[in-house]
Amino acid sequence: MGDQANSQFPFSQKTNTPRRVLIVGGVAGGASCATRLRRLDESVEIVMFDRGPYVSFANCGLPYYVGNVIADESNLLVASREMFRDRFNIEVHTETEVTAVDRNTCTIAVRDVHTGDSRSERYDALVLSPGAAPIRPQSPGVELPGVFAVRSIPDSRRIRSWIADRDAKTAVVVGGGFIGLEMVENLIHRELSVAILEKLPQVMPPLDPEMAIPLMDHLAAKGVQLHLGDGLLSIEARADGGLIVIAESGARLSADLVILAIGVRPETALARNAGLQIGPRGGIVVDPQMRTSDPHIWAAGDVIEVQDVLTGQETVLPLAGPANRQGRVAAESIAGRATHFRGVQATAVVGVLGLTVASTGASEKGLRRAGVTSFEKVYLHPGHHAAYYPGAHAIHLKVLFSVPDGRILGAQAVGLEGVEKRIDVIATAIQFHGTVHDLAEVELCYAPQFGAAKDPVNLAGMLAENVLNGDMPVADWSKLSRADALLLDVREAEEFAGGHIPNAINLPLSQLRARYLELPKDRDLWLCCAVGQRGYYATRFLTQRGYRCWNLSGGYTTYRALKGARMAI
Ligand code: FAD
């Protein structure tokens, strides 16, 4: 990451005219670029255009405005036109759409959305940060009144009014990604009964399926109806003014309103029409300084393609943190600094009705898609703080790492407390190309109400080290049904009686030292317990007595999640 100042504006300066930087889109990427550029260069003229009525508003707060958690709309406005003008000398034109880019004359065409009047604006540098638009499927009925997508403050306002005016009681959210789930939480907060229709067999697609199971259980326990593995076919109007969502399976879901949250698509029309290079994932291609295929045009935010630092593949990642950082990098580049964007690792978190779900880096399915095979994984389910202090809640944690070097590839976590803290620590370690050995060693805060002397992050590192150095070989869950190994469950008899893996035999750890000679030495032993800890102890004990042992990482808790996710076990 370079920060070397270079006072040269990176393109030729026209005589007698101020250098003009025009920015399309005034929210995360655009506004960050504008203000950073002003801090770097007082002499440049900066003009920002947005077709909406606001700039610099909190898109991420919109679901909570719908839910009335944020009751005052003005709290969503991070900065006003006046603040941009007075504090930063940045000219802002709202409700002004940029309709075309002419690269030959270095001009853009802009149109007043109210009057329709058009004019042309000259640029020396142009920054495109128009974001990504919600995908509206082609299905019949998606244009009916009462069907909404959530992108802007006016969108949220319309949903609020619809709920209030019609005293709405039921909603269908189409799409179980993070915006869909945030809408579920907020509609429930408004006391609506909510159903999710999701094409995949799981919610939160970035998670591996088994990690989504605790989330789906939680949603079901909170009364959310889950229609998974079922897509949207059409929407019909009911005679009483309500709607019926018809699923591909034929299911008919009645609703007073429908939220479409099936993903977003980069808004590349301007860039495509201007002949800028578009990548295979549908975003504008930029270099690490956010420069497009035209040296006078930069792009940032949801509209661009970026490199995934774990898989090395190009991706689109519509998240606010990267958009802000990319806007800043574009400004640095325009100001002549050699700052580079490092790429993304998809660190994300969502809160759903009290549960927190967070992830960073690659998922197992993402690694497999990318053709990565030399990796291992550990599952663990530690308390979010010391077990002896009241109120500890389990964090379900999965960590993926490369073999044999132990480089951390990704992590996913679900739980009631302390989830995002652990993922943020692991995300930081990934930034520094950290290994599981670093996780084992990292020194974190500890007092009983906050963590444990061996924090879940340390434990994850230690478990992974045990796998790498052969202290705890892990069995492959996906081979469970094919295994000719003996499945040995080392939980106590009552726990075993409460549910166990088919064909497992029970020999509690508490009796193992006295009875281990009952076990056959000529068979592989696959060990299972509740969360993997006693299985590990048993693995160590038996291995040192000449048995061939593998632990089932995460134990019966992980087994149930895998089973729930209908994975091949
Ligand atoms: P945007 O912020 O979308 O801004 C683009 C602006 O460009 C828009 O105002 C648009 O009107 C304007 N525009 C587009 N085309 C033109 C044109 N031709 N002329 C003029 N103006 C134009 N991310 C997170 O990391 N965490 C979250 O919790 C989170 N929650 C979210 C919740 C919701 C409901 C939504 C919609 C998004 C959420 N995001 C979240 C994603 C995050 O908001 C985006 O990744 C981020 O805002 C992208 O910044 P951007 O500058 O690329 O685009």
Side-chain angles (χ1 to χ4, degrees):
M1 174 78 71
D3 242 24
Q4 308 91 320
N6 170 357
S7 58
Q8 283 285 300
F9 206 51
F11 39 83
S12 63
Q13 188 175 338
K14 293 190 172 68
T15 48
N16 300 329
T17 51
R19 295 166 300 166
R20 289 195 101 205
V21 177
L22 305 187
I23 299 177
V24 185
V27 193
S32 298
C33 180
T35 50
R36 179 64 181 159
L37 184 56
R38 172 57 72 231
R39 291 193 289 275
L40 297 178
D41 191 339
E42 270 295 323
S43 69
V44 68
E45 182 184 353
I46 305 172
V47 188
M48 195 159 71
F49 300 91
D50 204 294
R51 67 175 169 219
Y54 308 104
V55 283
S56 206
F57 66 91
N59 338 40
C60 309
L62 297 177
Y64 304 91
Y65 179 46
V66 171
N68 218 23
V69 177
I70 299 170
D72 182 350
E73 187 179 295
S74 66
N75 287 335
L76 296 169
L77 302 174
V78 180
S80 63
R81 266 169 30 146
E82 293 69 30
M83 186 196 271
F84 277 106
R85 184 192 60 210
D86 299 342
R87 190 176 286 184
F88 299 111
N89 185 25
I90 292 168
E91 193 181 319
V92 171
H93 297 270
T94 49
E95 302 184 303
T96 307
E97 183 169 26
V98 178
T99 53
V101 177
D102 184 335
R103 291 165 53 197
N104 293 323
T105 57
C106 285
T107 57
I108 58 171
V110 303
R111 188 179 67 90
D112 182 310
V113 300
H114 290 300
T115 64
D117 292 346
S118 288
R119 63 182 192 278
S120 164
E121 298 270 0
R122 178 189 66 79
Y123 64 80
D124 294 304
L126 176 67
V127 180
L128 301 177
S129 190
I135 295 170
R136 285 193 94 92
Q138 298 293 309
S139 320
V142 293
E143 303 301 335
L144 282 169
V147 181
F148 303 95
V150 200
R151 185 181 184 190
S152 64
I153 292 179
D155 289 339
S156 316
R157 207 185 281 149
R158 280 191 284 273
I159 300 170
R160 280 170 67 100
S161 306
W162 185 272
I163 293 171
D165 296 350
R166 286 162 179 76
D167 191 22
K169 296 274 185 269
T170 55
V172 171
V173 175
V174 183
F178 81 90
I179 292 179
L181 292 176
E182 288 179 350
M183 290 305 297
V184 168
E185 160 159 314
N186 282 286
L187 292 168
I188 287 181
H189 198 251
R190 296 288 301 260
E191 299 183 343
L192 276 82
S193 153
V194 184
I196 298 176
L197 181 66
E198 165 60 57
K199 179 98 176 157
L200 294 175
Q202 70 172 84
V203 294
M204 272 307 274
L207 293 182
D208 287 322
E210 74 280 17
M211 296 303 290
I213 292 291
L215 170 59
M216 296 194 287
D217 289 347
H218 184 77
L219 285 165
K222 295 284 180 184
V224 178
Q225 293 171 49
L226 294 174
H227 298 269
L228 303 174
D230 203 357
L232 173 70
L233 186 66
S234 60
I235 304 173
E236 289 176 1
R238 276 192 335 240
D240 65 358
L243 297 159
I244 298 177
V245 174
I246 300 163
E248 286 169 350
S249 66
R252 296 169 71 82
L253 313 175
S254 197
D256 297 326
L257 75 150
V258 175
I259 304 290
L260 294 177
I262 59 171
V264 296
R265 187 174 287 134
E267 287 226 40
T268 50
L270 277 177
R272 277 179 200 278
N273 294 339
L276 295 180
Q277 192 185 347
I278 305 294
R281 303 298 308 275
I284 300 175
V285 172
V286 291
D287 69 13
Q289 292 184 279
M290 302 294 117
R291 209 187 286 249
T292 67
S293 51
D294 181 319
H296 292 260
I297 305 179
W298 283 255
D302 291 359
V303 77
I304 65 168
E305 283 193 7
V306 278
Q307 195 184 44
D308 181 322
V309 292
L310 278 314
T311 63
Q313 296 188 330
E314 296 307 310
T315 186
V316 285
L317 185 72
L319 288 176
N324 275 276
R325 299 201 307 279
Q326 292 152 6
R328 185 179 166 93
V329 170
E332 304 245 329
S333 171
I334 292 168
R337 292 189 176 189
T339 313
H340 286 72
F341 184 68
R342 294 183 186 186
V344 296
Q345 62 187 72
T347 306
V349 62
V350 63
V352 194
L353 302 166
L355 197 74
T356 307
V357 181
S359 57
T360 186
S363 61
E364 183 173 350
K365 60 188 173 188
L367 289 173
R368 293 197 191 284
R369 258 199 314 268
V372 181
T373 50
S374 54
F375 68 88
E376 241 328 330
K377 63 194 172 201
V378 286
Y379 296 96
L380 59 163
H381 312 276
H384 85 286
H385 63 52
Y388 66 81
Y389 187 85
H393 300 291
I395 296 178
H396 305 288
L397 180 59
K398 174 179 184 178
V399 177
L400 297 141
F401 52 97
S402 79
V403 177
D405 62 3
R407 185 175 160 226
I408 311 156
L409 298 175
Q412 303 163 43
V414 187
L416 293 172
E417 302 269 357
V419 168
E420 72 289 358
K421 163 174 152 174
R422 273 58 190 217
I423 291 297
D424 276 344
V425 170
I426 298 174
T428 309
I430 289 175
Q431 270 286 315
F432 294 116
H433 310 289
T435 66
V436 293
H437 308 293
D438 298 314
L439 297 187
E441 278 295 321
V442 68
E443 190 172 309
L444 299 171
C445 300
Y446 166 55
Q449 67 273 47
F450 298 112
K454 278 184 199 153
D455 189 87
V457 171
N458 299 131
L459 285 176
M462 290 169 187
L463 285 187
E465 280 189 323
N466 287 339
V467 174
L468 285 175
N469 66 23
D471 284 349
M472 187 187 72
V474 281
D476 184 347
W477 278 110
S478 71
K479 300 210 166 69
L480 200 55
S481 55
R482 291 179 294 187
D484 53 1
L486 179 65
L487 278 174
L488 179 64
D489 191 319
V490 296
R491 294 175 298 162
E492 294 303 311
E494 319 75 80
E495 294 173 87
F496 185 77
H500 56 263
I501 302 172
N503 301 325
I505 62 157
N506 185 219
L507 175 50
L509 179 69
S510 56
Q511 301 172 24
L512 191 62
R513 284 178 190 276
R515 293 179 48 198
Y516 73 92
L517 288 172
E518 295 170 23
L519 296 170
K521 264 203 165 154
D522 57 347
R523 286 184 73 181
D524 294 347
L525 301 179
W526 283 23
L527 276 73
C528 182
C529 64
V531 294
Q533 190 173 10
R534 283 173 283 175
Y536 165 56
Y537 298 156
T539 303
R540 294 305 306 147
F541 173 83
L542 291 169
T543 304
Q544 291 176 67
R545 279 156 184 83
Y547 289 86
R548 300 193 308 267
C549 300
W550 285 260
N551 195 16
L552 283 160
S553 181
Y556 192 63
T557 308
T558 296
Y559 170 78
R560 282 195 309 188
L562 290 162
K563 197 84 187 149
R566 297 192 206 100
M567 293 176 70
I569 57 169

